[in-house]
Amino acid sequence: MTGAREMSRVPKAQRDEVFRDHRAQLVLSKFLSGELDKLDPVYDPAYGYRYPAVEVIVGEPSATEEFLKNLYELGILKRETYDKLIYCPSCNSANVSIHYSCPYCKSYNIKKSALIEHIPCGYIDTEDKFRKENKLICPRCHSELNKPDINYRRAGIWCSCNECNKSFDIPVPSHFCRVCSKSFTFDDATYKDVYSYTLNKDIMKEAGVGFILVAPIREFLQSRGFNVESPSFQKGKSGASHMFDIAATRGDITRNVIVIDLATSAEEFVSEQSIIAMFAKVYDVTPDKACLIAIPKMAESGRKLADLYNINLIEAKDQNEAIRALEKCVVAVVQSKIQQSQPE
Ligand SMILES: [Zn+2]
Ligand SMILES: [Zn+2]
Ligand SMILES: [Zn+2]
């Protein structure tokens, strides 16, 4: 399955839909900005593997997994196997250990020993039979084993069962669930691939500049001396934390922060709902300035609300227009701060 073949099977329209998906924009811009080069899973004993960098945008771990799988199936992300995970068939936990068990009575209470061969006389037995204080002495011919690979060698391992006392050389692996305490074999286990993801750079050319905005906006703000976070979680007066697509701070001119949200629509207008949602967050967080970038246009009712709520509305057809408008907005913040700080 090559990436190229996958790509051609999926119609472009389906990918375009994803490029307009807000969450996909945020995730992809992390790759495009270089913040993420490769998305590796992080091990969590209770859950298995998770992708925290994407969870903050998408939500709970299983939704995040589905989201990434979809981006892969659309050819937007590439993936490679990072690990394989065993899940308990009873409770679905990944907190599973391996037990090496006795093939006769299935007990995992077995003892593992090293086998030693005394080369001159050919006697083979477990290491403890040769141990005499700090020396290895052959129980058959009573000579000392002191030259590894010359007069003695390791000859594999030998197990004995502490329950049924039988001996064997190959134990049977089985699994033990640390959550529900059930034992199970590989036959019954759920066995899943865990992936690392990278961006399919070829396909991003197809996305068009208009849809992926966070990366260029971040670059623009950084070039103006701002510290930029995306997405950013800001704590409000209520104590609740709110996510903004971008937050920019600059010690000398911002009291706290400038917050920016993006809203895109495949229709002619972005609905006023995005203004209402932003106002609720802004009301709680009270940033220095709040900007909403609407692509391509804001509905008339949304424009009125933006005015009323004191949200700086930027309407733009594409990224260049958005950046030009944002530049004006940032310059206005800088100038007003300078005026305020000037003595009367
Ligand atoms: Zn279990
Ligand atoms: Zn046994
Ligand atoms: Zn011997």
Side-chain angles (χ1 to χ4, degrees):
M1 257 200 309
T2 69
R5 245 179 75 202
E6 284 286 296
M7 250 161 77
S8 61
R9 276 215 311 268
V10 179
K12 182 176 172 298
Q14 240 173 297
R15 278 195 295 274
D16 280 347
E17 204 175 297
V18 170
F19 290 139
R20 281 191 289 270
D21 173 346
H22 194 229
R23 301 169 309 165
Q25 288 177 6
L26 288 173
V27 172
L28 295 179
S29 68
K30 278 188 181 288
F31 281 106
L32 288 169
S33 70
E35 188 186 328
L36 257 183
D37 181 37
K38 187 160 154 233
L39 178 68
D40 282 333
V42 176
Y43 189 67
D44 169 343
Y47 187 82
Y49 281 104
R50 313 169 63 150
Y51 303 89
V54 178
E55 271 178 37
V56 297
I57 296 163
V58 174
E60 48 123 12
S62 62
T64 296
E65 237 173 82
E66 269 308 301
F67 175 85
L68 289 168
K69 184 168 163 238
N70 186 41
L71 291 185
Y72 161 73
E73 281 169 354
L74 291 171
I76 298 167
L77 295 181
K78 296 182 193 176
R79 73 183 187 192
E80 60 187 67
T81 303
Y82 179 88
D83 195 3
K84 303 251 182 186
L85 260 192
I86 295 160
Y87 293 87
C88 168
S90 305
C91 76
N92 216 33
S93 165
N95 194 350
V96 166
S97 74
I98 190 152
H99 278 165
Y100 293 104
S101 312
C102 168
Y104 302 102
C105 75
K106 307 286 182 246
S107 165
Y108 62 86
N109 183 9
I110 66 171
K111 184 170 169 246
K112 178 191 170 194
S113 315
L115 278 181
I116 288 180
E117 178 184 358
H118 184 214
I119 297 169
C121 83
Y123 183 78
I124 297 181
D125 212 330
T126 53
E127 187 173 339
D128 57 317
K129 302 278 169 38
F130 287 88
R131 275 270 158 231
K132 288 267 147 52
E133 281 142 25
N134 285 329
K135 291 178 174 171
L136 292 171
I137 305 291
C138 176
R140 182 199 269 165
C141 70
H142 307 291
S143 41
E144 188 182 349
L145 287 63
N146 51 10
K147 297 190 183 108
D149 295 321
I150 293 171
N151 64 15
Y152 76 100
R153 65 182 184 94
R154 307 250 158 216
I157 59 131
W158 193 243
C159 302
S160 56
C161 176
N162 294 331
E163 297 293 329
C164 72
N165 290 322
K166 289 199 170 78
S167 296
F168 47 91
D169 57 348
I170 302 171
V172 177
S174 72
H175 299 290
F176 174 73
C177 174
R178 293 187 178 118
V179 174
C180 74
S181 304
K182 288 216 171 66
S183 290
F184 55 96
T185 62
F186 183 66
D187 285 9
D188 299 317
T190 311
Y191 195 46
K192 263 191 10 190
D193 284 287
V194 181
Y195 301 104
S196 288
Y197 291 91
T198 50
L199 186 65
N200 182 355
K201 294 208 172 80
D202 294 336
I203 208 125
M204 291 316 295
K205 292 185 189 117
E206 177 195 289
V209 284
F211 297 125
I212 308 297
L213 267 167
V214 176
I217 289 174
R218 174 200 289 262
E219 264 169 44
F220 163 73
L221 288 168
Q222 282 170 340
S223 75
R224 295 296 183 279
F226 285 89
N227 288 318
V228 184
E229 206 179 36
S230 171
S232 172
F233 294 86
Q234 300 283 331
K235 210 170 182 150
K237 291 177 298 232
S238 71
S241 160
H242 304 280
M243 187 176 100
F244 293 93
D245 293 344
I246 299 166
T249 50
R250 209 180 106 178
D252 56 337
I253 61 160
T254 57
R255 185 167 40 88
N256 47 27
V257 68
I258 300 174
V259 292
I260 301 167
D261 268 353
L262 302 172
T264 57
S265 171
E267 315 293 318
E268 214 182 326
F269 297 105
V270 175
S271 112
E272 81 264 13
Q273 204 50 49
S274 49
I275 294 275
I276 295 168
M278 190 173 198
F279 175 67
K281 298 188 290 180
V282 165
Y283 183 78
D284 198 22
V285 170
T286 60
D288 284 328
K289 199 170 191 65
C291 304
L292 184 99
I293 302 178
I295 300 194
K297 269 184 183 160
M298 176 53 70
E300 188 51 41
S301 54
R303 280 188 202 141
K304 285 181 185 147
L305 282 176
D307 245 13
L308 189 67
Y309 291 163
N310 204 15
I311 289 173
N312 202 281
L313 178 64
I314 294 173
E315 293 173 284
K317 282 199 308 288
D318 57 30
Q319 99 178 20
N320 292 335
E321 255 190 47
I323 299 239
R324 272 200 302 274
L326 195 65
E327 182 148 28
K328 270 191 215 158
C329 167
V330 168
V331 166
V333 175
V334 174
Q335 281 172 347
S336 78
K337 288 288 161 189
I338 290 170
Q339 275 162 11
Q340 278 170 27
S341 65
Q342 239 135 52
E344 303 281 310

